[in-house]
Amino acid sequence: MAARRTAAHCPAPGIGSSDGCIASGASRPMEPIVPPTERTRLRRLHERGHYDRATIHGILDAQPLAFVGWVVDGRPVVTPTLQWREGDRVYWHGSSASRALRHQDGQEVCLTVAILDGFVLARSGFHHSVNYRSVMLFGRAFRVADPEEKRERLRQFIERLFPGRYATLRADRPQELKATTVLGMEIGEASAKIRSGPPKDEEEDYALPIWAGVLPVRMVTGEPEADPRGLAGLEPPEYVRSFRLG
Amino acid sequence: MAARRTAAHCPAPGIGSSDGCIASGASRPMEPIVPPTERTRLRRLHERGHYDRATIHGILDAQPLAFVGWVVDGRPVVTPTLQWREGDRVYWHGSSASRALRHQDGQEVCLTVAILDGFVLARSGFHHSVNYRSVMLFGRAFRVADPEEKRERLRQFIERLFPGRYATLRADRPQELKATTVLGMEIGEASAKIRSGPPKDEEEDYALPIWAGVLPVRMVTGEPEADPRGLAGLEPPEYVRSFRLG
């Protein structure tokens, strides 16, 4: 996978790359962006929309839990799964017998992740909200067919969550790789949406004696729970003890 | 909304109700269930599937963050939103100008929630997994048209998260209700899926000196952050300080 390009490597818009670059304001450098499309451009609350790869990648990397939308018989299905990002692609996987994966292969999907950052309590019901970071990706899912590439993608999945673990595991067996389907999609049509900060009330409502503010929410890990069948004397590895989500 | 029926009130299967009842095992009482359909019956890993209302309702109540799938021009879109449950229905809302809500109104949607409970670290890559609780609902979204019913649904939304808050707020204005769309769907075609517990490794792999177990994950709230523009002397209400997710 290509390393993320910096502003210095950013070509002129539309040249030599599927992602353009824009100058998004006098105070910001040129940034690689995913050009907004009819589907991804925010029509309302424009200030919440982000199309730069750094923001989109950051949210994908912070939230493995993804929701993949697909269509069967003209009707929508949303399947929760874990995703991981490698460069400008995201991947997800499951059993080769999975109905969802078989239907998604080669088809249009929408992959969405969202992180709930807090409840926003305003002085009227109308202005209650949530702080969040979300990403929507549109595109066609492709299947990783080559067994060795599949093995490498699955290795990356584990390594991105738990660096160093894969090499310590019992090796993958050919029949296990065969029983696993890995799908991917390009981050080619995508947008991020972010809300942060305190409530935004009607000007006259700030005088009301109502507590308002944000109740922050975050995901945390608890104490590692060793497998009751685990061998004596094995301690949780450092990558488990220092694991952080978000 | 009808109160949840108990086993004692459960009629014979398919009689007098859209939800049947089954005896799901000699050791379990009759429970109100949502009869599985072609779309909701788990084909693999049957032990993870649950169709009883108590389980489905419990997961919906524990996770307000929902992902609504809808179809536009034959292609899937997945929109994150907050849902709340009242009896055998779920609701979600947003701006009346929202493209998503306008497209969902009257159409087939799939509403999915998932709670990530932990990472399951096995002794082979293949048996790595996650502990989770998820619900998928299928059906047609309906719009709450009557302004007074809309007000009541939105009141319930706030009350379910923060009991007692709604009555303390500046009253909803007619134009705010008009600017808000509330959609709902019946919990009529639904399934829950749950994985819990330690890894399930190949028998011979238990002898390997590899740490295995579960890294639990949960959502927590942080210290309430008062609005910088809030009046002096207002303390976070009890429903904020005692708020728990999950």
Side-chain angles (χ1 to χ4, degrees):
Chain A
M1 291 296 124
R4 188 182 307 163
R5 291 174 305 154
T6 63
H9 300 115
C10 186
I15 296 178
S17 166
S18 63
D19 53 346
C21 285
I22 54 165
S24 52
S27 63
R28 297 171 67 189
M30 298 273 279
E31 283 178 349
I33 69 145
V34 182
T37 67
E38 184 68 14
R39 286 196 288 194
T40 62
R41 183 181 282 111
L42 266 71
R43 329 280 172 104
R44 298 174 307 105
L45 305 170
H46 307 282
E47 72 283 5
R48 296 189 186 175
H50 300 264
Y51 307 95
D52 60 288
R53 288 199 178 272
T55 299
I56 291 167
H57 291 181
I59 294 170
L60 289 166
D61 294 350
Q63 175 57 288
L65 183 61
F67 294 78
V68 180
W70 43 293
V71 176
V72 58
D73 300 334
R75 300 191 296 187
V77 186
V78 178
T79 309
T81 191
L82 297 194
Q83 60 81 28
W84 70 100
R85 183 183 67 84
E86 299 188 42
D88 291 343
R89 290 177 174 173
V90 293
Y91 294 94
W92 61 104
H93 83 298
S95 165
S96 297
S98 155
R99 179 166 157 268
L101 293 181
R102 283 186 286 117
H103 270 91
Q104 292 160 10
D105 181 10
Q107 300 302 310
E108 281 276 341
V109 299
C110 174
L111 186 148
T112 297
V113 304
I115 301 165
L116 183 61
D117 286 326
F119 293 96
V120 179
L121 290 86
R123 296 157 182 89
S124 63
F126 187 70
H127 287 294
H128 277 65
S129 188
V130 284
N131 284 337
Y132 61 91
R133 290 164 286 160
S134 66
V135 163
M136 292 175 72
L137 306 179
F138 295 96
R140 207 168 276 279
F142 61 84
R143 191 163 57 88
V144 176
D146 178 72
E148 280 314 305
E149 198 205 328
K150 202 193 282 188
R151 187 196 305 273
E152 174 58 16
R153 296 286 76 76
L154 292 167
R155 186 181 76 81
Q156 290 287 345
F157 175 39
I158 290 179
E159 284 297 296
R160 276 165 157 70
L161 287 170
F162 306 111
R165 182 165 181 84
Y166 186 85
T168 70
L169 299 174
R170 188 263 287 154
D172 293 322
R173 294 171 180 157
Q175 67 269 32
E176 291 177 336
L177 290 172
K178 198 172 169 183
T180 304
T181 290
V182 176
L183 296 182
M185 69 188 290
E186 302 286 340
I187 306 176
E189 191 175 356
S191 62
K193 205 171 159 187
I194 299 174
R195 195 224 182 267
S196 62
K200 289 176 182 164
D201 272 305
E202 300 298 321
E203 201 50 44
E204 64 269 26
D205 291 343
Y206 283 96
L208 298 171
I210 301 167
W211 188 88
V214 173
L215 180 60
V217 172
R218 65 181 195 284
M219 294 197 76
V220 298
T221 53
E223 281 298 303
E225 298 166 356
D227 186 345
R229 292 191 60 185
L231 300 184
L234 293 174
E235 292 298 322
E238 170 60 21
Y239 56 73
V240 168
R241 286 181 285 117
S242 64
F243 187 90
R244 291 288 175 275
L245 267 174
Chain B
M1 292 296 124
R4 187 182 306 162
R5 290 176 305 155
T6 63
H9 300 113
C10 188
I15 296 178
S17 165
S18 64
D19 54 346
C21 284
I22 55 164
S24 53
S27 63
R28 298 171 66 188
M30 300 272 278
E31 286 179 347
I33 69 145
V34 183
T37 66
E38 183 68 14
R39 286 196 287 193
T40 61
R41 183 180 281 109
L42 265 70
R43 329 279 172 105
R44 299 174 305 107
L45 305 169
H46 306 281
E47 72 283 6
R48 295 189 187 176
H50 299 264
Y51 307 95
D52 60 289
R53 288 197 178 270
T55 299
I56 292 168
H57 290 180
I59 295 170
L60 289 167
D61 294 350
Q63 175 58 289
L65 184 61
F67 294 78
V68 180
W70 44 293
V71 177
V72 59
D73 299 334
R75 301 192 295 186
V77 186
V78 178
T79 309
T81 191
L82 297 193
Q83 61 81 27
W84 70 101
R85 182 182 69 84
E86 299 188 43
D88 291 344
R89 291 176 172 174
V90 293
Y91 295 93
W92 61 102
H93 84 297
S95 164
S96 296
S98 155
R99 180 167 156 266
L101 294 181
R102 282 185 286 118
H103 270 90
Q104 292 160 11
D105 181 11
Q107 300 302 309
E108 281 276 342
V109 299
C110 174
L111 186 147
T112 297
V113 304
I115 301 165
L116 183 61
D117 286 326
F119 293 96
V120 179
L121 289 87
R123 294 155 182 88
S124 62
F126 187 71
H127 287 293
H128 277 65
S129 188
V130 283
N131 285 337
Y132 62 91
R133 290 164 284 160
S134 66
V135 163
M136 292 175 73
L137 307 180
F138 295 95
R140 207 168 276 278
F142 61 84
R143 190 163 57 89
V144 176
D146 178 71
E148 280 314 305
E149 196 202 332
K150 201 192 283 186
R151 187 197 303 274
E152 174 58 17
R153 297 286 76 76
L154 293 167
R155 185 181 77 81
Q156 291 287 344
F157 175 39
I158 290 180
E159 283 298 296
R160 276 165 157 70
L161 286 169
F162 306 109
R165 182 166 181 82
Y166 187 84
T168 70
L169 299 174
R170 188 264 286 155
D172 294 322
R173 295 173 180 156
Q175 68 269 31
E176 291 177 337
L177 290 172
K178 198 171 170 186
T180 304
T181 290
V182 176
L183 296 183
M185 69 188 290
E186 302 287 339
I187 305 176
E189 191 174 356
S191 62
K193 206 170 159 189
I194 299 175
R195 193 220 184 271
S196 61
K200 289 176 183 164
D201 272 305
E202 301 298 321
E203 200 51 43
E204 63 271 26
D205 290 343
Y206 283 96
L208 298 172
I210 301 167
W211 188 88
V214 173
L215 180 60
V217 172
R218 66 182 194 284
M219 294 197 79
V220 297
T221 52
E223 280 298 304
E225 298 166 355
D227 185 344
R229 293 191 59 185
L231 299 184
L234 293 174
E235 293 297 322
E238 171 59 23
Y239 56 73
V240 169
R241 285 181 284 118
S242 64
F243 186 91
R244 293 287 174 277
L245 267 174

